[in-house]
């Protein structure tokens, strides 16, 4: 799946490296649960991941990019057992915590990817393979000189669109107004996608009741920032 855009795509990664020590529980999750639930992007064999084999069943695959500490991801996966839910994250304690949360909820339909979601999508996901991609509250890089580091850029959105099945969705959310506007502009310019809520005021999607309110969203509310959802559909 090599292409001329790949070097540029790799220049914008899906994460920010953050340190952090794991709790005893998180380390136990890595020791006991990771061998079954997780894979490392850098260690994947060449070619697409066989999601049917990994999950042990055939079902629509949804990828969430940046699951953080797993508060919402575990709930979303639990609420959608009909999906093969894949969470991509680089923060080790976050993945450990997500495994603990999923274990507590009895979630069996969640798998974890440790590493850069851009490389995962570029090298290990076939075109048209995904039912949906979710990107909730990515790093906003609020300073103007850092906006080029934001993950939502034309090349990235084109990559996501190429991996969605027809009718599949790309759902984004952010509490930073100018990032929301950038997301709207970039996604609207991608010919493979259409805004499912283009007729709504501003083109924003109504906030889905099923999306749990994240700690970022709660902080935004406290600081007077409005969160925006966008849902784009693959033609």
């Amino acid at each position: 799946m090599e292409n001329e855009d790949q070097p540029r795509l790799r220049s914008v990664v899906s994460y920010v490296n953050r340190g952090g020590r794991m709790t005893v529980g998180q380390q136990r999750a890595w020791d006991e649960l990771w061998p079954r639930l997780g894979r490392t992007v850098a260690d994947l064999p060449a070619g697409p991941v066989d999601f049917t084999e990994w999950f042990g069943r055939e079902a629509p695959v949804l990828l969430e990019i940046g699951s953080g500490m797993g508060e919402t991801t575990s709930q979303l996966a639990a609420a959608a057992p009909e999906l093969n839910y894949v969470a991509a994250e680089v923060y080790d304690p976050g993945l450990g915590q997500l495994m603990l949360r999923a274990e507590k909820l009895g979630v069996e339909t969640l798998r974890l990817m440790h590493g850069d979601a851009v490389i995962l999508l570029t090298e290990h996901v076939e075109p048209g393979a995904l039912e949906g991609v979710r990107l909730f509250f990515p790093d906003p890089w609020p300073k103007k000189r850092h906006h080029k580091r934001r993950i939502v850029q034309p090349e990235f959105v084109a990559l996501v669109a190429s991996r969605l099945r027809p009718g599949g969705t790309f759902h984004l959310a952010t509490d930073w107004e100018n990032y929301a506007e950038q997301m709207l502009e970039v996604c609207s310019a991608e010919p493979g996608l259409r805004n499912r809520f283009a007729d709504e005021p501003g083109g924003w999607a109504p906030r889905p009741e099923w999306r749990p309110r994240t700690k970022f969203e709660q902080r935004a509310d406290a600081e007077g920032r409005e969160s925006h959802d966008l849902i784009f559909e693959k033609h």
Side-chain angles (χ1 to χ4, degrees), residues 11-16 139-141 143-153 179 182:
S11 69
V12 178
V13 296
S14 67
Y15 62 92
V16 178
D139 196 312
W141 292 104
K143 294 181 180 179
K144 190 170 184 179
R145 68 178 183 273
H146 292 156
H147 285 186
K148 62 181 179 294
R149 301 182 186 180
R150 290 172 169 175
I151 187 172
V152 180
Q153 307 286 350
Y179 199 4
Q182 177 182 330

Side-chain angles (χ1 to χ4, degrees), residues 59-107:
V61 179
L62 186 140
L63 172 66
E64 181 178 337
I65 298 174
S67 51
M69 296 302 287
E71 304 101 317
T72 60
T73 305
S74 55
Q75 296 176 58
L76 290 169
E82 72 279 5
L83 297 174
N84 285 346
Y85 205 109
V86 180
E89 176 59 59
V90 297
Y91 187 49
D92 294 15
L95 288 168
Q97 194 65 36
L98 173 54
M99 286 185 279
L100 292 176
R101 295 178 193 276
E103 181 183 45
K104 185 175 181 179
L105 292 173
V107 179

Side-chain angles (χ1 to χ4, degrees), residues 107-208:
V107 179
E108 297 291 338
T109 54
L110 176 67
R111 300 292 184 269
L112 286 64
M113 282 285 186
H114 183 226
D116 187 356
V118 172
I119 295 176
L120 172 64
L121 285 166
T122 303
E123 301 182 6
H124 302 292
V125 177
E126 290 185 303
L130 300 179
E131 176 74 19
V133 173
R134 290 174 178 167
L135 181 67
F136 294 157
F137 301 93
D139 196 312
W141 292 104
K143 294 181 180 179
K144 190 170 184 179
R145 68 178 183 273
H146 292 156
H147 285 186
K148 62 181 179 294
R149 301 182 186 180
R150 290 172 169 175
I151 187 172
V152 180
Q153 307 286 350
E155 295 87 357
F156 172 73
V157 173
L159 174 63
V160 169
S162 72
R163 282 5 185 203
L164 291 172
R165 68 160 183 82
T169 57
F170 183 27
H171 185 174
L172 311 90
T174 183
D175 56 302
W176 288 86
E177 183 75 26
N178 63 12
Y179 199 4
E181 292 169 353
Q182 177 182 330
M183 290 175 171
L184 179 61
E185 180 181 356
V186 172
C187 292
S188 296
E190 167 52 46
L193 299 175
R194 70 171 188 88
N195 187 346
R196 184 176 281 182
F197 292 93
D199 295 334
E200 294 291 324
W204 311 118
R207 188 194 186 287

